[in-house]
């Protein structure tokens, strides 16, 4: 049935550059990207209108000792952001070339994505990139966090994700719920290229680059085009007491043109998604025994071996999402381009939990008096708006600049819940809660410059910039008399509130010094000042209940608290040495210190969403991170292999912990707390490779394997929930020891592509003392091995079809939440 439902290590030349730059007053953008790409994946055979040479993407020297005559190769690598290229792993990303960034990178183009990945959401594009994993629980998931080689699924503020000039990382928090990246703003058909840069080695990026930087580039047109795509996915589901089939349909479209100095791209996406249970409702301390006077509880354990009988689903959601984007670029002159981007995203989501319980009194379904069902019954309406502007020069001469600013605003973000369930039967109280985030917003602004004192191929290339950001949280929770039909403030009585703000300012400088043609030293530093302010919380204590049993009215006494302001000023040195042994071999050693500051929600947001309660900590210290890595790479014309050794130490690591707290009715409420861990260490090795024409022409092989030895070095304040445990010496939460990807794509001709790929992630712990050893239970973090396949057929120059299966063998696993089972995907795309 289908459902209804070195600290001073900068060169003298670099210091002089900073002094000269300070007097010039010309700076640049937040997302260090080049002038927008001009190639588009369109079928027309007519040659595109030639671009003016002066506004082509900037090419810059790479790490190899290539003569000036070979520089056009770098330009070609970024032209169109790789949208028409079958390969990207050998190309230098546009941002790396323009700013001489020291990071090693991994890349994928729109063509590769189109042929090899069941692309339903933009985050699917990174599915097979080395060491990366996205916590995507369902199609259209708006809480999909990117995990990297050394940081896990609860580390949204430890990576930076940019869509052109817009930062889509929600640095309002560091979690896998409200602070997840805003992927949903991006239509899959807008993606031209994706690049991932490892590590915090570039002074141009803030300390949130600890885990890395993901750059998503749109494909700007060079001629008129339009494309439309329809995707349907079907997932049969059978787990605990829920058996159903969940269907998602998605329509994506894009259109654009270039006419003289003006180019534009407009994209839209609509998704209608029925989702498998995202959470379950649990109960009890005796295995298999549910609430009094009920049957139907399914005996189960929790991840630490305690009883957690499953009595029904939690969040069982239906989501309808619509997003739209407009990007306009205008060549003010042959050397300067201005861009503007507008994005809007709307989500209407409802959840209708399912109980497994039957009353022994009347034989009817019942909630058994468990209020957790009410926490997962909701209507959620969201409308978010983004804006980004930039002004960039591309002279390829002595000086270039980038200026940019962006903002993100929660125009509407309202979650309506009933307050509890009725004492008997299946029903909810009339009164409820209104959780609001509208008013939450953030802004980022950057000014960057590039100075080439000896010309574009001189020994020094100096970049510098200033940065500012502001993040504001507004999160009141009101009581309401009728939970599903109420004003925006309900009865006007505040149940809880979390308000606060963080601000960061930064200056940075980098000198890329080509000591000899095949040896380059990059030195840089970033000076940052951060503060939190206006922190205020209200937490209400219940004192009594009035009203009738069917609609109890809780009586609360509000407890207001003004939180202390915090501040910190820090300097982060960066250094990288790259040596080309030959045209094919490169060795690069890099080091970076960085600071990751507490986010405003970590400091001030006390909230319960989908039955999970989170308590903030207004006294958090900034994280201090030291990362080093050694890369050895071998390239061929049609492939490459890279070995990376890395080590990382983080002092005052901010880590959240979720435990089950038994409430007054015998149910269990997942509760998250946040704190600093004195010191953690992670070290390991990453091996990745890809190669074309292996054994037979047209057969591409790709893959990676990553091993991480993570340890908590010191955590003296830890208090375990199981007596006598300690965190010191244990593995860092959410960081698996092993992660790997392997895949093959066979292209017998230009019309067909067949791909089979597997992804493996080993055991990871969610608790600091590593006591969560029970696997394949709700809230566990299981190892998993998942295989996918895709067949891509280009039927005509304009028409293409895809058929794929994600999770072919229907592996069932939990990463706290139950993750998707076998899913069939069918798509058709027409390009005009």
């Amino acid at each position: 049935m289908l459902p209804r439902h070195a600290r001073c290590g900068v060169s003298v030349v670099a210091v002089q550059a900073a002094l000269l730059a300070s007097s010039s007053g010309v700076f640049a953008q937040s997302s260090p990207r080049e002038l927008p790409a001009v190639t588009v994946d369109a079928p027309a055979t007519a040659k595109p209108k030639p671009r003016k040479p002066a506004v082509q993407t900037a090419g810059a020297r790479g790490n190899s000792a290539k003569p000036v005559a070979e520089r056009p190769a770098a330009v070609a690598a970024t032209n169109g952001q790789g949208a028409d290229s079958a390969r990207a792993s050998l190309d230098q990303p546009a941002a790396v070339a323009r700013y001489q960034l020291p990071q090693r990178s991994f890349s994928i183009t729109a063509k590769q994505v189109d042929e090899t990945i069941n692309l339903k959401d933009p985050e699917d594009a990174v599915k097979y990139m080395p060491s990366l994993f996205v916590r995507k629980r369902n199609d259209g998931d708006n809480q999909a966090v990117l995990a990297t080689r050394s940081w896990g699924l609860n580390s949204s503020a430890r990576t930076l994700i940019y869509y052109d000039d817009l930062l889509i990382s929600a640095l309002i928090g560091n979690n896998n719920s409200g602070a997840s990246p805003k992927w949903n703003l991006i239509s899959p058909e807008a993606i031209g290229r994706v690049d991932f840069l490892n590590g915090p080695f570039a002074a141009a990026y803030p300390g949130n680059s600890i885990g890395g930087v993901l750059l998503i580039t749109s494909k700007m047109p060079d001629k008129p085009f339009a494309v439309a795509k329809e995707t349907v996915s079907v997932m049969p589901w059978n787990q605990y007491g829920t058996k159903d089939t969940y269907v998602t349909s998605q329509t994506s479209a894009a259109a654009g043109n270039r006419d003289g100095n003006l180019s534009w791209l407009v994209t839209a996406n609509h998704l209608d998604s029925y989702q498998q249970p995202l959470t379950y409702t649990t109960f009890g301390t005796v295995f298999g025994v549910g609430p009094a006077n009920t049957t139907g509880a399914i005996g189960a354990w929790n991840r630490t071996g305690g009883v957690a009988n499953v009595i029904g689903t939690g969040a069982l959601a239906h989501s309808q999402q619509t997003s739209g984007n407009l990007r306009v670029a205008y060549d003010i002159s042959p050397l300067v381009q201005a861009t503007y981007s507008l994005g809007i995203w709307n989500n209407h989501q409802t959840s209708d939990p399912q109980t497994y319980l039957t009353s022994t009194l009347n034989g009817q379904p019942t909630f058994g008096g468990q209020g957790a069902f009410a926490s997962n019954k909701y209507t959620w309406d969201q409308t978010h708006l983004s804006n980004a502007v930039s002004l960039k020069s591309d002279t390829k001469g002595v000086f270039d600049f980038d200026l940019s600013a962006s903002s993100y605003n929660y125009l509407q973000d309202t979650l309506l819940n009933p307050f509890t369930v009725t004492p008997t039967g299946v029903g909810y109280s009339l009164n409820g809660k209104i959780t609001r985030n509208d008013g939450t917003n953030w802004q980022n602004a950057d000014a960057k410059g590039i100075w080439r004192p000896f010309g574009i191929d001189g020994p020094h290339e100096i970049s510098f910039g200033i940065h500012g950001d502001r993040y504001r949280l507004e999160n009141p929770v009101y009581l309401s008399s009728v939970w599903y039909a109420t004003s925006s403030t309900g009865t006007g009585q505040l149940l809880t509130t979390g308000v606060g703000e963080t601000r960061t300012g930064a200056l940075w400088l980098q000198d890329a010094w080509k000591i000899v043609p095949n040896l380059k030293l990059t030195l840089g530093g970033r000076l940052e000042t951060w503060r939190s302010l206006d922190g205020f919380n209200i937490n209400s204590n219940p004192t009594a209940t009035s009203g009738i049993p069917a609609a109890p009215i809780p009586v609360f006494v509000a407890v207001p608290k003004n939180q202390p302001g915090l501040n910190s000023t820090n300097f982060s040195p960066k250094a990288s040495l790259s040596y080309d042994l030959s045209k094919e071999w490169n060795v690069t050693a890099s080091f970076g210190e960085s600071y990751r500051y507490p986010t405003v929600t970590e400091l001030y947001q006390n909230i319960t969403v989908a039955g999970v309660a989170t308590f903030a900590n207004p006294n958090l210290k900034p994280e201090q991170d030291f990362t080093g890595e050694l890369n050895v790479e071998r390239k061929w014309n049609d492939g490459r292999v890279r070995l990376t050794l890395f080590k990382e130490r983080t002092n005052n690591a901010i880590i959240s912990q979720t435990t089950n707290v038994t409430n007054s009715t015998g149910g269990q409420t997942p509760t998250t707390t946040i704190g600093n861990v004195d010191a953690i260490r992670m070290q390991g090795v990453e091996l990745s490779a890809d190669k074309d024409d292996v054994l037979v022409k047209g057969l591409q092989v790709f893959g990676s394997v990553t091993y991480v030895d993570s340890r908590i070095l010191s955590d003296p304040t830890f208090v375990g929930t199981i007596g006598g445990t300690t965190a010191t010496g244990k593995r860092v939460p959410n960081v698996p020891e092993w992660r790997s990807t392997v895949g093959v794509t066979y292209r017998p001709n230009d019309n067909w592509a067949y791909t089979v790929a597997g992804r493996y992630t080993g055991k990871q712990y969610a608790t600091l003392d590593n006591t969560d050893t029970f696997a394949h239970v709700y809230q566990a973090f299981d190892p998993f091995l998942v295989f996918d396949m895709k067949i891509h057929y280009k039927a005509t120059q304009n028409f293409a079809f895809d058929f794929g299966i994600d999770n072919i063998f229907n592996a069932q696993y939990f990463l706290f939440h139950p993750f998707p089972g076998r899913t069939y995907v069918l798509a058709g795309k027409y390009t005009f």
Side-chain angles (χ1 to χ4, degrees):
M1 292 288 293
L2 294 180
R4 295 187 303 268
H5 41 68
R7 228 169 245 286
C8 298
V10 294
S11 69
V12 173
V13 175
V15 174
Q16 293 171 344
L19 295 175
L20 287 174
S22 65
S23 64
S24 68
V26 186
F27 301 101
Q29 66 163 2
S30 72
S31 174
R33 316 200 59 76
E34 296 193 84
L35 292 179
V38 296
T39 307
V40 63
D41 189 10
T45 57
K47 293 183 178 180
K49 189 183 301 181
R51 297 283 312 260
K52 299 179 182 178
V55 295
Q56 288 178 345
T57 327
R61 63 182 183 278
N63 290 327
S64 62
K66 293 184 179 180
V68 176
E70 301 221 3
R71 290 184 53 78
V75 177
T78 62
N79 199 17
Q81 304 304 325
D84 284 338
S85 171
R87 295 292 304 279
S89 62
L90 304 181
D91 298 344
Q92 192 178 54
V96 172
R98 181 168 173 82
Y99 285 99
Q100 295 293 288
L101 301 179
Q103 285 110 320
R104 302 293 89 188
S105 64
F106 298 102
S107 305
I108 189 169
T109 67
K111 181 176 175 64
Q112 288 175 282
V113 171
D114 200 38
E115 292 181 349
T116 64
I117 296 173
N118 294 316
L119 184 72
K120 294 169 283 182
D121 298 298
E123 59 267 34
D124 290 330
V126 308
K127 184 184 293 187
Y128 305 129
M129 296 179 77
S131 298
L132 301 186
F133 175 76
V134 178
R135 190 200 79 142
K136 181 185 167 185
R137 305 166 301 170
N138 52 266
D139 293 340
D141 192 359
N142 58 355
Q143 299 180 6
V145 170
L146 175 67
T148 60
R149 67 187 181 194
S150 57
W151 292 104
L153 303 176
N154 59 346
S155 298
S156 63
R158 294 188 182 100
T159 53
L160 294 171
I161 306 175
Y162 292 91
Y163 177 50
D164 293 325
D165 303 307
L166 178 68
L167 178 68
I168 67 167
S169 291
L171 301 184
I172 194 76
N174 180 49
N175 56 49
N176 47 29
S177 53
S180 300
K182 304 305 179 183
W183 304 99
N184 311 79
L185 276 173
I186 306 171
S187 171
E189 292 309 302
I191 299 173
R193 178 185 172 107
V194 181
D195 301 292
F196 182 75
L197 313 181
N198 270 319
F201 307 126
Y205 295 113
N208 304 91
S209 62
I210 291 173
V213 181
L214 189 74
L215 306 173
I216 304 173
T217 308
S218 63
K219 45 187 177 185
M220 292 295 287
D222 211 20
K223 56 190 174 185
F225 92 103
V227 60
K229 182 178 181 180
E230 182 69 24
T231 305
V232 176
S233 61
V234 179
M235 179 178 64
W237 183 263
N238 187 0
Q239 190 176 73
Y240 292 121
T242 300
K243 184 176 182 179
D244 215 328
T245 299
Y246 299 99
V247 179
T248 296
S249 64
Q250 179 169 271
T251 304
S252 301
N257 191 15
R258 179 177 178 87
D259 185 8
N261 294 333
L262 179 69
S263 59
W264 57 273
L265 173 69
V266 60
T267 62
N269 190 70
H270 178 73
L271 177 140
D272 193 322
S273 175
Y274 289 92
Q275 304 162 3
Q276 85 279 6
L278 295 182
T279 60
Y280 289 102
T281 301
T282 60
F283 175 88
T285 58
V286 179
F287 188 83
V289 177
N293 302 318
T294 69
T295 61
I298 299 173
W301 307 103
N302 63 27
R303 63 193 184 194
T304 60
V307 172
N309 301 315
V310 179
I311 60 174
T313 68
L316 188 58
H318 173 211
S319 184
Q320 295 173 296
Q321 301 179 28
T322 303
S323 65
N325 277 275
L326 171 66
R327 181 171 174 84
V328 179
Y330 184 75
D331 298 336
I332 296 174
S333 75
L335 304 178
V336 178
Q337 186 179 73
T339 61
Y340 170 70
S341 298
L342 171 69
I344 190 164
W345 171 70
N346 176 265
N347 178 38
H348 175 73
Q349 183 170 301
T350 58
S351 173
D352 193 12
Q354 172 191 4
T355 180
Y356 302 157
L357 300 175
T358 300
S359 172
T360 58
L361 302 178
N362 57 24
Q364 298 299 310
T366 180
F367 288 139
Q370 297 305 302
F373 284 105
S375 297
N376 287 283
K377 172 71 173 179
Y378 62 77
T379 299
W380 195 2
D381 285 295
Q382 299 171 281
T383 302
H384 295 186
L385 179 72
S386 68
N387 286 273
V389 294
S390 68
L391 183 66
K392 313 178 187 183
S393 73
D394 189 22
T395 67
K396 301 183 178 66
V398 174
F399 183 77
D400 274 307
F401 66 87
D402 290 358
L403 307 173
S404 72
S406 64
S407 68
Y408 193 95
N409 291 273
Y410 291 42
L411 300 183
Q412 179 189 20
D413 201 303
T414 306
L415 181 73
L416 306 179
N417 293 99
F419 197 85
T420 188
V421 297
T422 54
T424 60
V426 179
Y428 301 96
S429 63
L430 283 176
N431 63 300
K433 297 183 295 183
I434 307 170
T435 302
R436 296 178 54 191
N437 280 288
D438 40 314
T440 297
N441 64 88
W442 57 83
Q443 297 83 39
N444 285 267
D446 283 80
K448 301 179 182 179
I450 305 172
W451 182 41
R452 308 177 183 99
F454 303 100
I456 195 166
D457 289 303
H460 288 275
E461 184 161 316
I462 298 155
S463 54
F464 52 91
I466 60 175
H467 166 85
D469 63 52
R470 170 187 174 274
Y471 289 82
R472 179 74 181 179
L473 171 70
E474 299 282 351
N475 187 209
V477 179
Y478 295 95
L479 296 177
S480 63
S481 54
V482 180
W483 76 268
Y484 53 85
T486 183
S487 68
S488 60
T489 58
T491 64
Q493 181 181 352
L494 269 173
L495 179 64
T496 66
T497 194
V499 177
E501 189 171 306
T502 62
R503 297 179 185 179
T504 309
L507 298 170
W508 63 270
L509 178 68
Q510 175 188 280
D511 182 11
W513 177 22
K514 189 191 298 181
I515 302 172
V516 294
N518 62 339
L519 181 67
K520 184 171 73 172
L521 175 66
T522 304
L523 298 174
R526 188 178 182 93
L527 178 66
E528 295 173 296
T529 179
W530 168 89
R531 64 179 179 135
S532 66
L533 62 157
D534 297 341
F536 178 72
N537 288 102
I538 290 178
N539 294 313
S540 297
N541 296 325
T543 59
T545 300
S546 63
I548 61 175
I553 301 172
V555 178
F556 290 94
V557 174
V559 182
K561 174 68 173 178
N562 287 304
Q563 304 293 2
L566 305 175
N567 63 83
S568 184
T569 299
N570 308 99
F571 177 74
S572 305
K574 321 281 185 178
S576 180
L577 184 65
S578 178
Y579 179 59
D580 292 323
L581 287 78
S582 65
K583 286 180 61 178
E584 295 81 18
W585 287 91
N586 173 266
V587 178
T588 300
S590 300
F591 167 81
E593 180 183 356
S594 55
Y595 288 83
R596 206 278 286 180
Y597 298 105
T599 62
V600 67
T601 63
E602 288 173 311
L603 294 167
Y604 307 127
Q605 187 181 54
N606 298 324
I607 192 172
T608 299
V609 176
V612 181
T614 300
F615 295 93
N617 183 344
N619 299 300
L620 293 171
K621 303 174 184 176
E623 295 178 342
Q624 181 188 30
D625 185 86
F626 304 89
T627 300
E629 69 173 30
L630 177 66
N631 280 280
V632 180
E633 186 171 50
R634 170 67 159 91
K635 286 186 177 182
W636 295 271
N637 290 332
D638 60 354
R640 58 111 186 107
V641 61
R642 180 187 299 163
L643 177 69
T644 303
L645 305 176
F646 59 89
K647 186 171 183 177
E648 184 172 354
R649 177 188 170 112
T650 305
N651 299 327
N652 297 317
I654 303 173
I655 295 179
S656 61
Q657 289 283 279
T658 301
T659 57
N660 279 326
V661 176
T662 302
N663 56 42
S664 59
T665 63
Q668 297 175 335
T669 302
T671 303
T672 300
T673 57
I674 304 167
N676 286 109
V677 174
D678 273 11
I680 65 175
R681 182 266 296 151
M682 291 170 283
Q683 59 188 7
V685 58
E686 176 186 76
L687 177 66
S688 64
D690 59 88
K691 184 73 168 61
D692 286 347
D693 300 329
V694 178
L695 299 179
V696 298
K697 184 175 176 58
L699 183 65
Q700 179 189 10
V701 177
F702 57 90
S704 68
V705 59
T706 304
Y707 169 76
V708 182
D709 173 26
S710 65
R711 285 292 179 268
I712 298 172
L713 302 180
S714 175
D715 190 12
T717 62
F718 174 79
V719 177
T721 57
I722 299 176
T725 61
T726 180
T728 301
K730 302 301 173 62
R731 282 169 50 184
V732 177
N734 300 111
V735 181
E737 275 192 314
W738 292 96
R739 181 177 290 150
S740 63
T741 298
V742 62
V744 295
T745 297
Y746 179 54
R747 300 178 178 90
N749 53 50
D750 291 340
N751 296 329
W752 290 91
Y754 306 87
T755 299
V756 177
R759 295 170 289 137
Y760 171 76
T761 294
K763 169 65 180 174
Q764 53 191 298
Y765 294 95
T767 56
L768 287 165
D769 56 0
N770 295 176
T771 54
D772 52 321
T773 57
F774 277 56
H776 305 295
V777 296
Y778 172 51
Q779 297 185 12
F781 282 77
D782 294 328
F784 63 89
L785 175 62
V786 172
F787 287 93
D788 312 319
M789 59 81 65
K790 178 174 180 175
I791 300 173
H792 173 76
Y793 174 48
K794 188 176 180 179
T796 69
Q797 189 70 13
N798 301 83
F799 219 158
F801 295 96
D802 297 319
F803 172 73
I805 305 175
D806 285 335
N807 194 355
I808 296 173
F809 300 109
N810 198 31
Q812 290 200 353
Y813 60 99
F814 293 87
L815 296 176
F816 189 96
H817 306 272
F819 268 62
R822 183 188 295 117
T823 304
Y824 303 92
V825 184
L826 181 65
K829 182 166 78 169
Y830 190 83
T831 307
F832 299 86

